[in-house]
Amino acid sequence: MQRIAIGGISLNVEQRGRGAPLLLVHGFPLDHSMWRHQIDAFGARFHVIAPDLRGFGQSDATPPGTVTMAQLADDLAGLLDALGITQPVTFCALSMGGYVAFSFVRRHAKRLDKLILCDSRAVADTAEAAQNRGALADRVLAEGSAVAAEAMLPKLFAPLTAEKQPEVVEQTRQVMLRVNPIGVAAALEAMAVREDSTGLLPTIQVPALLVCGEHDGISTPDEMRGMAQAIPAARFEEIPAAGHMAPLEAPGPVNRAIAQFLGVTTA
Ligand code: MLT
């Protein structure tokens, strides 16, 4: 693990391997460790870069009001600069990471080679969802990150994962309990005001892979299939028996889909 200084804060990042850059961007309220199976599988063929976003994992947090999806995308561009990576990247993101990916498309299109969206959405929050995020942010600041873990954990995993891989659920809970409440509140407020990206989809110029767990109730397969249809060069892959955390729940099928998309075999 390394800490990399970018624009007044430090980001924690795990890097593995050499080759074309593969940037792995985690969801909410998690950290880079959700990509452990992809880091292992693709580190042999790619330069894998798996950061903790601002406010998560071991990265510095900044208060609510200072974080937007655009800021998180700029942080990643700053990280690539600091690492000396000028080659366009494959940007692989889950859920909130996908919201950051859309800002990256808007602001840093030249740095993008391919896009992989796992379990994510293009629509903005409804007024009600945004209000709920604000209320959750207030509770997290008052009571701590456990409140966010309680709210999110039941929605993340497919029933089969909870039954057959309880350790995966428990490890995820621990990550959520360790996260800085200031970072969680800041990200909740940032997600609440994020732009709708539906209109962006037809303008995406790079090849894209969209991956969704069969039982994902946050970003459903039907919704993601529709997103894939709107992107000019996209393919869609549904992952059987997985939920919202498909790359962590079903790494074999997800890695096969990614490997096929990238034209490689996995380790
Ligand atoms: C995530 O997994 O990043 C969250 O479900 C995103 C969200 O709450 O919209």
Side-chain angles (χ1 to χ4, degrees):
M1 299 301 309
Q2 268 177 295
R3 284 186 77 78
I4 305 288
I6 52 137
I9 63 160
S10 287
L11 295 184
N12 190 51
V13 59
E14 179 166 359
Q15 296 187 79
R16 185 88 62 86
R18 289 169 177 213
L22 173 61
L23 180 63
L24 303 176
V25 183
H26 64 80
F28 172 88
L30 304 170
D31 67 18
H32 78 282
S33 66
M34 61 145 288
W35 295 113
R36 53 189 171 273
H37 301 294
Q38 287 69 40
I39 295 170
D40 286 346
F42 293 100
R45 296 292 301 266
F46 291 87
H47 178 185
V48 177
I49 306 135
D52 294 339
L53 291 169
R54 178 189 293 248
F56 296 92
Q58 301 300 309
S59 289
D60 290 341
T62 58
T66 63
V67 180
T68 57
M69 293 302 135
Q71 178 64 62
L72 296 176
D74 290 355
D75 285 353
L76 294 174
L79 176 66
L80 295 173
D81 286 342
L83 297 175
I85 297 170
T86 52
Q87 188 180 345
V89 300
T90 295
F91 195 122
C92 173
L94 182 126
S95 200
M96 181 185 74
Y99 312 157
V100 179
F102 292 134
S103 279
F104 198 88
V105 170
R106 286 190 181 92
R107 300 166 74 84
H108 304 287
K110 290 203 174 109
R111 304 193 81 146
L112 190 64
D113 183 44
K114 295 187 184 72
L115 182 63
I116 303 173
L117 294 174
C118 302
D119 303 280
S120 194
R121 318 186 70 191
V123 291
D125 274 7
T126 61
E128 189 190 354
Q131 204 175 5
N132 290 341
R133 291 212 206 258
L136 184 59
D138 290 345
R139 283 194 63 205
V140 166
L141 287 174
E143 299 169 43
S145 297
V147 176
E150 274 161 35
M152 287 303 295
L153 205 59
K155 300 189 227 167
L156 295 187
F157 293 100
L160 195 70
T161 306
E163 190 191 319
K164 301 266 193 226
Q165 305 184 79
E167 71 288 354
V168 172
V169 180
E170 185 50 33
Q171 285 157 359
T172 304
R173 183 201 309 279
Q174 293 306 324
V175 168
M176 291 177 169
L177 292 178
R178 282 196 299 268
V179 66
N180 186 333
I182 293 173
V184 172
L188 281 165
E189 298 202 351
M191 286 193 284
V193 298
R194 75 186 187 278
E195 268 178 79
D196 189 303
S197 295
T198 312
L200 184 74
L201 300 178
T203 73
I204 293 176
Q205 300 295 327
V206 298
L209 169 68
L210 280 75
V211 173
C212 188
E214 178 189 7
H215 299 295
D216 187 343
I218 297 178
S219 39
T220 64
D222 279 352
E223 184 172 343
M224 288 203 76
R225 203 175 282 110
M227 289 166 63
Q229 281 162 2
I231 299 174
R235 60 173 89 157
F236 173 76
E237 191 85 36
E238 183 171 318
I239 306 298
H244 187 62
M245 297 297 301
L248 187 57
E249 299 178 78
V254 170
N255 289 354
R256 274 194 292 282
I258 293 175
Q260 197 181 30
F261 174 66
L262 296 177
V264 297
T265 49
T266 49

